Amino acid sequence: MVETLRCDVAVIGGGTAGISAERAARKNGASTLMIDPEFNGTTCANVGCMPSKLLIAAAKEAHRIGQAGLFGIKVGDMRIDGPAVMRRVRSERDRFARLTRDSIAELPDDVTLRARARFDGPNRLLLDDGRAVEAKSIVIATGSSPALPGPFAELGDRVITSDGVFELEELPRRLAVVGSGAIGLELAQAFARLGVDVALFDKGERMAKIRCPRVHAALRTIIETDMPVHLGVDVSPEADENGVVVRWSGSHSGEAHFDLLLAALGRPPQLDGLDLEKADIELDENGVPLHDRATMRCGESGIFIAGDVASDLPLLHEASHDGAIAGRNAAALPAPIETERHVSFSIVFTDPTTASIGESEADGAVTGHADFSDQGRARVEGRNRGTLTLYAAAPDGRLIGADLVAPAGEHLAHMLAWAIQSGKTASDLLELPFYHPTIEEGLKQALRTICAATPITLPQDQDTGTPPGA
Ligand SMILES: Cc1cc2nc3c(=O)[nH]c(=O)nc-3n(C[C@H](O)[C@H](O)[C@H](O)COP(=O)(O)OP(=O)(O)OC[C@H]3O[C@@H](n4cnc5c(N)ncnc54)[C@H](O)[C@@H]3O)c2cc1C
Ligand SMILES: NC(=O)c1ccc[n+]([C@@H]2O[C@H](COP(=O)([O-])OP(=O)(O)OC[C@H]3O[C@@H](n4cnc5c(N)ncnc54)[C@H](O)[C@@H]3O)[C@@H](O)[C@H]2O)c1
């Protein structure tokens, strides 16, 4: 006889989205169970956001020291101690991971189930420990995992993904990075700035899904100062006695030798083994349950989805928001509440920072540009590289999106995302104070272009001149 556990809301997956869903469901009065085979802390803490930012922090430091000469400061020979760099990445990473595990350990005892779950019906799950769970509603929060297609997988120990890269004891001498999305770009630049001989490849023509050609061209120029970039190429990797030989063809062709290949080829949702055919929900062409982003509900069912597995915006803050929405609505079934979603934005932690916010050059959108190569504060700091394109709706001049690669880009991206979500126009922003001398002043150029291109007026009570270097 199968032991069957019962609850109001069962959550499959104990990562960021699952933890948030369980918390929201319990807060809304539901009895909950959260199921995960490991409860090993989140992807973000173990192999995602945090270790990648730790590696980038080391690279940034090395780069800054390398730039010291620009300011007349002589620092002598810099030596990068690769094993020490990787040790700090891991020890700080382990601390973050431990904190996420501690927060799971603090949950009431009867909430967590250490097992792998699969559907046995729309309201029933089977666990790999032989037990079953019956729930009024179920939240799928199983995350995503790195893609490693055939020719890459065949490289054996000569290929790594983001799951293994932070375990390297030593920095490789020569590294091929295939995939110029967020993961590939961030890690390629970090390793290059730590002295690794890196080359970056992508079958596509656009890095980090940047929409504006002008911003993309600036990004490419910046990345090419750190490494060769091969876009629009088919990559054929092959293991040899010294490492990996990479041959490429397409927009151009060539061959080069590396010690290791980092595959950053996307992260498909983790749906294998969930037996979704028994869940009685509709799937899209990629097998992802169709769902409404306002409720995270799958059709009219009692099943909800949250985080990377939903394949909407595989980002940490979205996973956490998805989870809160799904958990609350799973508890509120059958009366889900619609939530207006945040303006979308993604920040890629290159130096300078790359970001895409909101919508792009939709029909009739007006664009404004700002260039940071001669911007005052950026020049003062020797960080004067990058450009920004703002998109505004015509004819009202309401800001709808932006693409940028710019110094202080993560802060500009937040300001712009908040302004867009608040429905501000270019003119509204120009009425706000801009401190001098700051990187933020660089925005004025783009905002003024938008005012000039739309019927909205430049604010009458503001100076339209520019302080030195603004
Ligand atoms: C290298 C890297 C860098 C990143 N950097 C950033 C960044 O800077 N900013 C940002 O916003 N995002 C970043 N991300 C993305 C971010 O980490 C993810 O969007 C986020 O962690 C997804 O959370 P999740 O809850 O969906 O998945 P996870 O945290 O992976 O949780 C999924 C859980 O489901 C469990 N599970 C799977 N199958 C089953 C099953 N059948 N039964 C039970 N449990 C199951 C797994 O064990 C896992 O614990 C990065 C990702 C990577 C890889
Ligand atoms: N800073 C951040 O917020 C951050 C950082 C890292 C990751 N992430 C999240 O993780 C997700 C996954 O990141 P990712 O970079 O792996 O995926 P991605 O989908 O962003 O990029 C994958 C890239 O690999 C290329 N590619 C795929 N197959 C290829 C092949 N066979 N040969 C050559 N190129 C190939 C694609 O053209 C694409 O440019 C991102 O979508 C992002 O949401 C976010």
Side-chain angles (χ1 to χ4, degrees):
M1 186 61 188
V2 175
E3 183 191 347
T4 302
L5 305 161
R6 291 186 173 79
C7 63
D8 296 327
V9 177
V11 179
I12 316 176
T16 299
I19 293 170
S20 155
E22 189 281 328
R23 188 163 34 223
R26 195 156 34 88
K27 211 171 114 200
N28 281 278
S31 60
T32 58
L33 287 172
M34 182 164 64
I35 307 154
D36 194 293
E38 289 161 11
F39 286 117
N40 192 31
T42 60
T43 288
C44 165
N46 279 307
V47 290
C49 325
M50 303 316 285
S52 57
K53 284 359 36 109
L54 282 159
L55 189 75
I56 289 168
K60 221 176 198 168
E61 213 49 45
H63 185 69
R64 207 158 46 189
I65 295 166
Q67 297 279 88
L70 179 68
F71 303 93
I73 298 165
K74 306 266 184 294
V75 288
D77 285 341
M78 175 174 60
R79 192 179 71 80
I80 292 166
D81 180 346
V85 167
M86 297 310 292
R87 272 199 303 277
R88 176 174 190 265
V89 167
R90 278 192 295 276
S91 78
E92 288 295 318
R93 181 275 310 266
D94 290 348
R95 191 182 147 274
F96 290 119
R98 195 175 58 246
L99 292 175
T100 61
R101 283 197 299 274
D102 288 351
S103 71
I104 293 168
E106 282 162 16
L107 289 172
D109 276 349
D110 49 356
V111 163
T112 52
L113 287 180
R114 196 173 289 272
R116 184 168 290 280
R118 62 192 158 93
F119 280 88
D120 189 39
N123 297 95
R124 187 177 158 86
L125 301 171
L126 290 179
L127 308 185
D128 63 357
D129 63 7
R131 293 184 290 176
V133 170
E134 285 182 2
K136 289 183 195 147
S137 39
I138 294 174
V139 180
I140 306 169
T142 51
S144 60
S145 58
L148 197 61
F152 294 93
E154 282 162 23
L155 296 173
D157 63 2
R158 311 277 161 78
V159 66
I160 44 169
T161 67
S162 52
D163 277 359
V165 71
F166 306 112
E167 299 309 320
L168 290 175
E169 299 282 340
E170 292 262 8
L171 297 174
R173 208 162 49 82
R174 301 166 305 175
L175 179 71
V177 177
V178 186
S180 68
I183 295 181
L185 258 188
E186 286 185 354
L187 296 181
Q189 192 187 45
F191 279 116
R193 290 187 170 187
L194 288 167
V196 179
D197 193 355
V198 178
L200 180 63
F201 301 88
D202 202 297
K203 64 179 180 185
E205 294 284 357
R206 283 287 159 97
M207 297 185 282
K209 304 187 178 85
I210 286 293
R211 301 159 299 188
C212 170
R214 180 194 290 236
V215 173
H216 189 266
L219 173 64
R220 184 171 184 157
T221 304
I222 287 165
I223 298 297
E224 279 177 338
T225 59
D226 290 312
M227 72 199 83
V229 175
H230 307 282
L231 300 183
V233 293
D234 284 325
V235 173
S236 308
E238 203 184 316
D240 71 5
E241 63 281 7
N242 299 317
V244 192
V245 52
V246 172
R247 297 184 185 86
W248 63 95
S249 58
S251 64
H252 59 292
S253 55
E255 175 180 320
H257 294 258
F258 302 92
D259 302 326
L260 203 57
L261 185 149
L262 172 64
L265 309 172
R267 293 179 56 88
Q270 295 203 106
L271 295 160
D272 281 356
L274 280 178
D275 289 356
L276 282 178
E277 66 287 354
K278 297 191 180 148
D280 199 19
I281 48 177
E282 221 182 314
L283 309 181
D284 71 12
E285 66 281 5
N286 299 316
V288 178
L290 291 175
H291 58 278
D292 175 0
R293 259 178 61 75
T295 60
M296 299 315 288
R297 187 180 184 187
C298 302
E300 293 299 306
S301 73
I303 298 174
F304 295 78
I305 190 162
D308 281 12
V309 67
S311 291
D312 297 319
L313 297 162
L315 299 168
L316 191 279
H317 68 283
E318 295 287 354
S320 160
H321 198 203
D322 282 358
I325 294 170
R328 184 187 62 179
N329 282 330
L333 201 74
I337 303 154
E338 301 214 334
T339 300
E340 198 169 325
R341 300 305 305 248
H342 298 143
V343 62
S344 62
F345 75 135
S346 104
I347 296 176
V348 182
F349 295 91
T350 50
D351 176 28
T353 315
T354 305
S356 285
I357 305 139
E359 293 167 39
S360 65
E361 221 159 342
D363 279 352
V366 172
T367 57
H369 304 285
D371 185 75
F372 288 89
S373 53
D374 212 17
Q375 201 265 337
R377 182 60 182 277
R379 257 201 108 78
V380 165
E381 309 235 328
R383 295 193 288 156
N384 49 319
R385 297 188 304 163
T387 192
L388 172 150
T389 297
L390 271 182
Y391 306 108
D396 65 1
R398 193 174 37 85
L399 299 173
I400 58 167
D403 284 319
L404 60 93
V405 55
E410 67 188 82
H411 307 299
L412 295 178
H414 274 86
M415 272 176 53
L416 290 170
W418 295 345
I420 291 165
Q421 187 157 323
S422 315
K424 299 289 184 212
T425 64
S427 175
D428 291 336
L429 289 204
L430 283 169
E431 299 219 27
L432 297 171
F434 284 78
Y435 211 89
H436 177 71
T438 57
I439 302 283
E440 284 77 358
E441 285 177 304
L443 280 178
K444 283 187 175 179
Q445 196 184 340
L447 292 166
R448 285 174 183 158
T449 330
I450 284 175
C451 289
T454 55
I456 57 168
T457 48
L458 276 169
Q460 293 305 304
D461 54 355
Q462 304 283 331
D463 182 19
T464 52
T466 305

